[in-house]
Amino acid sequence: MLLSDVVEASQGVRATSSRKNKINIFAELLKRAAPQELAQVVAWLSGDLSQGRIGTGWRTLTTLDIESARSPTLSVNDVDEFFGELAEVGGSGSAARRQELLGALFGAATKDEHDFLLRLLTGEMRQGALTAIVAEAVAVAFAVPIATVRRAHMLSGRLPVTALAARTGGVEALEAFRLEVGRPIQPMLASPGATLEEAMAEFDGQASVEHKMDGARIQVHRDGDTVWVFTRTLRDITASVPELVDVVRKLDCASVVLDGETLALNDSGRPRPFQETMSRFGATTARELLLHPYFFDCLHLDGADLLDAPLRDRREALTKVACGLSIPALIAPGPEAAAEYFDGALAAGHEGIMIKSLDAPYAAGRRGRSWQKIKPTHTLDLIVLGAEWGYGRRTGYLSNLHLGARDPEGGGPIMVGKTFKGLTDALLHWQTAEFPRHERERDGNTVHLYPELVVEIALDGVQTSPRYPGGVALRFARVVRYRPDKEPHQADTIDAIRALLPGTK
Ligand code: AMP
């Protein structure tokens, strides 16, 4: 199979908004891949490399000015070999050697292939949504039920391995995957819930109501004295978190698999900002920020697999093995107790609560309804500072908005984020027609505006940011509507935004 076949499928998928079409395009490609190519193709389509992350700083290396090949000749296996060689480059002279290898690879690639390889190497293609589509394509291509593919993917932790099993051994091979202590599984995810009341009603009150902590997901495995710690993306970080390893080693059991969240705490026991936990996660030496684990699920205990057991039983196992380390939770509370708990969680600096069905098994691969996250939604009225020309479906439209908060001291608006989420086609049309009337200047892809328009933005919260001039950035901002009834001097101030930083309440 040629690389160009993969690139074409990837382009086809980007060009259609129909989920069904996307799945069929990928499925056709997977059917055509030979068994020894399948793992690579599946990894690439989901934005991953079989070799894992290979080196960093691609941006600079990839500014290489190389003439593209006229016609495609690179095969999937050729490219995989290149990646294998790149992954092995190390030691002195490695930058030059990498540059040489990349030069050879890009020199043999057409323009479209070059773009695809760049996005793959820089991790720009990696999106959870893509993995879910590739999983469905595996089911279609090899005529196996999607639920079986998802479960095998959850247990193997790797979609390429799952795809190969589906191709070579069908349902039987997929069903042979088991939870293995030491091998991470795909974590279960949550869906946004509408309100606390609705979620509680959906589960008939039979729910575990838990703090939703804003840290980093961890999955710990222990077999005897051996402990592993994995991240949400199943990266093994055992060596960089000795304090977590110690805690798990002290638990009173022979083998266990726990799912949880880890946080860096400040001296008074309040959670520190999300980025501080994350930077501690990446560090290999710095130990000054100690991580504390909060477990919320037990997937295996002393030889017994609990994935198919209801949460009620898994929580019982959790309490038995790690009582003092479990996340605060209320089991099947009444409506008033649940509401009070929600307020308490926010007051303690957490981002919201999780409501989980006590009857549901552990299921990964897709955001299901059995776990629902409830967060307070904030909305802010912000000033539109400019917009970027869109791409793909939005080509020719002014799309990604630059958003500013008001300076209470009377200075110009202060940029706090960007978003193109929530923009309907009607709004895109309107923006593209309206913005030139407010245009101050253009540079590159951006049209800068005079501060005249106010837009209402919903967000999940804010975080400190060295990139933005006010030191804060919006998290998951999306457009609710324009506010023609508001003048820029009535927009929210940078102080109002800073007040939303965790721990400032
Ligand atoms: P989100 O990333 O917004 O979809 O929320 C899900 C994430 O919240 C999980 O992946 C965990 O990292 C985190 N989380 C925090 N507290 C809990 C909890 N009590 N139960 C499950 N996940 C939690």
Side-chain angles (χ1 to χ4, degrees), residues 190 210-213 217 232 261 296 327 354 356 367 371 373 375:
E210 307 173 4
H211 283 178
K212 180 171 190 321
M213 297 189 155
R217 185 89 175 244
R232 179 185 181 133
E261 191 84 351
F296 46 72
I327 217 160
M354 295 288 262
K356 302 178 178 175
R367 291 182 185 273
W371 287 14
K373 50 187 176 190
K375 301 180 193 176

Side-chain angles (χ1 to χ4, degrees), residues 57-72:
W58 297 108
R59 269 271 159 256
T60 42
L61 288 174
T62 48
T63 50
L64 296 170
D65 186 17
I66 286 173
E67 200 175 323
S68 296
R70 295 248 166 90
S71 52

Side-chain angles (χ1 to χ4, degrees), residues 187-192 210-218 232 259-263 294-296 315 327-328 351 353-354 356 367 371 373 375 460 475-476:
M188 182 157 175
L189 302 175
S191 299
E210 307 173 4
H211 283 178
K212 180 171 190 321
M213 297 189 155
D214 194 12
R217 185 89 175 244
I218 46 166
R232 179 185 181 133
D259 188 6
E261 191 84 351
T262 185
L263 253 73
Y294 292 90
F295 296 115
F296 46 72
R315 276 221 74 111
I327 217 160
E351 55 169 353
I353 49 173
M354 295 288 262
K356 302 178 178 175
R367 291 182 185 273
W371 287 14
K373 50 187 176 190
K375 301 180 193 176
D460 287 356
R475 288 184 65 186
F476 303 111

Side-chain angles (χ1 to χ4, degrees), residues 12-338:
V13 161
R14 288 175 93 195
T16 173
S17 55
S18 149
R19 188 177 167 86
K20 200 158 168 245
N21 290 345
K22 289 178 199 264
I23 293 168
N24 286 336
I25 293 172
F26 279 166
E28 283 311 309
L29 184 77
L30 297 184
K31 271 193 228 167
R32 283 168 44 213
Q36 77 279 11
E37 296 163 339
L38 186 64
Q40 273 68 267
V41 174
V42 167
W44 297 350
L45 292 181
S46 354
D48 289 326
L49 299 173
S50 320
Q51 289 80 4
R53 286 196 283 189
I54 44 183
T56 50
W58 297 108
R59 269 271 159 256
T60 42
L61 288 174
T62 48
T63 50
L64 296 170
D65 186 17
I66 286 173
E67 200 175 323
S68 296
R70 295 248 166 90
S71 52
T73 52
L74 282 170
S75 71
V76 166
N77 288 335
D78 293 338
V79 177
D80 188 50
E81 270 173 35
F82 262 110
F83 287 162
E85 276 188 60
L86 273 169
E88 275 172 21
V89 174
S92 69
S94 55
R97 176 72 187 130
R98 276 207 190 119
Q99 189 138 351
E100 198 183 307
L101 280 169
L102 276 180
L105 176 62
F106 290 159
T110 62
K111 175 82 184 58
D112 285 351
E113 290 171 336
H114 186 145
D115 287 349
F116 177 85
L117 292 170
L118 257 188
R119 285 191 299 124
L120 194 55
L121 284 167
T122 51
E124 267 173 45
M125 270 194 328
R126 216 172 293 134
Q127 298 168 10
L130 218 45
T131 310
I133 285 171
V134 181
E136 293 211 34
V138 168
V140 172
F142 307 120
V144 284
I146 178 64
T148 315
V149 173
R150 285 202 190 110
R151 185 176 167 84
H153 180 207
M154 165 174 94
L155 291 167
S156 70
R158 295 202 305 263
L159 197 50
V161 175
T162 312
L164 202 54
R167 185 191 161 120
T168 50
V171 171
E172 210 178 307
L174 291 174
E175 284 178 347
F177 285 106
R178 294 272 171 274
L179 175 70
E180 263 175 44
V181 179
R183 184 176 73 184
I185 69 166
Q186 291 290 333
M188 182 157 175
L189 302 175
S191 299
T195 62
L196 170 64
E197 295 74 21
E198 275 176 43
M200 289 305 286
E202 196 173 327
F203 300 141
D204 227 356
Q206 292 306 300
S208 167
V209 178
E210 307 173 4
H211 283 178
K212 180 171 190 321
M213 297 189 155
D214 194 12
R217 185 89 175 244
I218 46 166
Q219 191 179 121
V220 302
H221 292 229
R222 178 177 143 198
D223 185 8
D225 273 345
T226 316
V227 172
W228 298 260
V229 184
F230 302 99
T231 63
R232 179 185 181 133
T233 55
L234 314 192
R235 197 155 54 87
D236 185 338
I237 51 156
T238 314
S240 62
V241 289
E243 70 269 46
L244 296 181
V245 173
D246 275 354
V247 167
V248 176
R249 206 173 268 148
K250 287 198 190 111
L251 299 178
D252 185 15
C253 63
S255 67
V256 72
V257 176
L258 298 171
D259 188 6
E261 191 84 351
T262 185
L263 253 73
L265 301 183
N266 67 16
D267 292 344
S268 58
R270 283 176 72 92
R272 300 184 65 95
F274 173 68
Q275 298 109 302
E276 290 190 24
T277 301
M278 289 318 280
S279 62
R280 172 63 183 75
F281 239 51
T284 43
T285 52
R287 294 282 145 72
E288 55 290 4
L289 279 175
L290 279 188
L291 293 175
H292 185 90
Y294 292 90
F295 296 115
F296 46 72
D297 221 312
C298 179
L299 313 181
H300 171 104
L301 182 58
D302 288 336
D305 286 346
L306 301 172
L307 290 169
D308 295 322
L311 176 61
R312 195 186 309 278
D313 297 355
R314 303 199 309 272
R315 276 221 74 111
E316 210 171 280
L318 177 64
T319 312
K320 190 168 142 212
V321 69
C323 185
L325 299 169
S326 56
I327 217 160
L330 279 187
I331 304 298
E336 268 172 41

